[in-house]
Amino acid sequence: MLQLHDVIKTYSGKSEVTALDGINLSIAAGEMVAIMGPSGSGKSTLLNLLGGLDVPTSGRVLVAGKDLAGESEKERSLFRRTSVSYIFQAYHLMPTLKVSQNVALPLHLAGVPANEINRRVAEVLREVGLEAREKHLPDELSGGERQRVAIARALVTGAALLLADEPTGNLDTARGEEILNLLRAIHRERGTTIVMVTHDHHAASACERLIKLRDGRVEGDSLRGGGDR
Ligand SMILES: Nc1ncnc2c1ncn2[C@@H]1O[C@H](COP(=O)(O)OP(=O)(O)O)[C@@H](O)[C@H]1O
Ligand SMILES: [Mg+2]
């Protein structure tokens, strides 16, 4: 589903930074992959390229056989709205919108009819166990609940690819564990492809495959239970 060929990403500023330095990777549909590496090793940059939020300086990023870099900004934006969803360490919910409105947002942006929106929002809120919180505002919720709202918002479009950047980074161990269990359940039941950046070895061990980055390169790529790829 995802292929990176010789991907280089440099940021130009006062001094040029090479965030990704020749990445070759292939991630199949339905995999659940952890990405680990020291701070600054290029993890978020890699996720942004997979999600079509940014394009490589050189090399190719293929999603379902399509080269995102070759697409127009309009096509990439359609891809971002329909085919990929993101969750972040800091949740990124809209503070003035209720839980159900936050979850409904991607469907509103996609022009889905109101009755269909209500049905799908109710369904995903049940799936993440937050049906009783639909009328609350984000700051009336715990961190773990906020992350579950963010996951519901990510699921509601039915995107086949879920990208998660340190999704348990702001949570204590127990709350983090709940989020990991939820992501595993989504992976298992929906077959969603999940790529998760994490600092936490325990979180990484929830995944079937671990990719290690260092200095913008793939330092290791192994399947859980041993074996390199
Ligand atoms: N928008 C940006 N402009 C300039 N440099 C950036 C930008 N984003 C990231 N970088 C640099 O690229 C490198 C990789 O960053 P990042 O992908 O965020 O790493 P990680 O997520 O592994 O901490 C770092 O050296 C970082 O400072
Ligand atoms: Mg990062």
Side-chain angles (χ1 to χ4, degrees), residues 36 81 106 136 215 219:
M36 294 189 87
R81 277 208 312 274
H136 288 245
D215 297 333
E219 185 191 48

Side-chain angles (χ1 to χ4, degrees), residues 139-158:
D139 68 8
E140 296 165 346
L141 303 177
S142 70
E145 287 172 333
R146 286 183 213 182
Q147 192 59 295
R148 282 192 277 152
V149 177
I151 292 173
R153 181 184 56 188
L155 292 181
V156 79
T157 59

Side-chain angles (χ1 to χ4, degrees), residues 1-3 26-33 192-194 209 229:
M1 153 173 244
L2 298 168
Q3 284 172 302
S26 170
I27 296 175
E31 276 197 275
M32 181 163 179
V33 181
T192 306
T193 309
I194 299 182
R209 178 178 171 192
R229 289 190 54 113

Side-chain angles (χ1 to χ4, degrees), residues 2-10 18-27 33 35-37 40-50 56-62 195 209 211-221:
L2 298 168
Q3 284 172 302
L4 286 85
H5 294 293
D6 300 326
V7 167
I8 293 178
K9 178 68 187 179
T10 56
T18 303
L20 296 176
D21 191 11
I23 301 276
N24 287 288
L25 266 185
S26 170
I27 296 175
V33 181
I35 298 181
M36 294 189 87
S41 57
K43 305 181 297 296
S44 295
T45 301
L46 178 63
L47 224 53
N48 289 344
L49 296 183
L50 294 178
T57 308
S58 68
R60 295 194 303 152
V61 178
L62 302 177
V195 182
R209 178 178 171 192
I211 295 170
K212 287 188 185 157
L213 291 188
R214 180 175 296 270
D215 297 333
R217 295 167 191 257
V218 175
E219 185 191 48
D221 188 349

Side-chain angles (χ1 to χ4, degrees), residues 15-221:
S15 60
E16 193 173 270
V17 176
T18 303
L20 296 176
D21 191 11
I23 301 276
N24 287 288
L25 266 185
S26 170
I27 296 175
E31 276 197 275
M32 181 163 179
V33 181
I35 298 181
M36 294 189 87
S39 176
S41 57
K43 305 181 297 296
S44 295
T45 301
L46 178 63
L47 224 53
N48 289 344
L49 296 183
L50 294 178
L53 291 173
D54 205 348
V55 292
T57 308
S58 68
R60 295 194 303 152
V61 178
L62 302 177
V63 181
K66 252 190 178 183
D67 186 351
L68 287 182
E71 307 278 299
S72 65
E73 178 49 40
K74 197 174 160 196
E75 285 167 316
R76 268 208 311 284
S77 139
L78 181 69
F79 166 77
R80 286 195 299 267
R81 277 208 312 274
T82 57
S83 306
V84 61
S85 45
Y86 251 98
I87 56 176
F88 302 91
Q89 176 172 354
Y91 324 125
H92 292 208
L93 302 174
M94 303 290 275
T96 58
L97 297 183
K98 290 176 200 160
V99 164
S100 56
Q101 293 170 319
N102 265 287
V103 175
L105 210 53
L107 299 180
H108 276 296
L109 295 176
V112 174
N115 55 349
E116 170 83 7
I117 290 181
N118 294 340
R119 189 181 65 73
R120 281 163 67 175
V121 167
E123 192 180 297
V124 289
L125 283 177
R126 258 199 315 279
E127 194 171 342
V128 302
L130 281 182
E131 61 272 51
R133 293 280 184 276
E134 59 170 341
K135 295 202 168 64
H136 288 245
L137 290 169
D139 68 8
E140 296 165 346
L141 303 177
S142 70
E145 287 172 333
R146 286 183 213 182
Q147 192 59 295
R148 282 192 277 152
V149 177
I151 292 173
R153 181 184 56 188
L155 292 181
V156 79
T157 59
L161 173 62
L162 175 61
L163 304 174
D165 200 345
E166 305 260 4
T168 62
N170 281 359
L171 302 174
D172 64 36
T173 310
R175 251 33 75 190
E177 184 68 24
E178 285 172 16
I179 295 301
L180 292 172
N181 286 338
L182 181 56
L183 291 175
R184 266 196 298 247
I186 289 162
H187 168 67
R188 196 174 53 236
E189 282 153 31
R190 294 180 171 238
T192 306
T193 309
I194 299 182
V195 182
M196 174 172 75
V197 168
T198 181
H199 268 111
D200 176 0
H201 285 275
H202 180 66
S205 71
C207 298
E208 296 152 349
R209 178 178 171 192
L210 171 61
I211 295 170
K212 287 188 185 157
L213 291 188
R214 180 175 296 270
D215 297 333
R217 295 167 191 257
V218 175
E219 185 191 48
D221 188 349

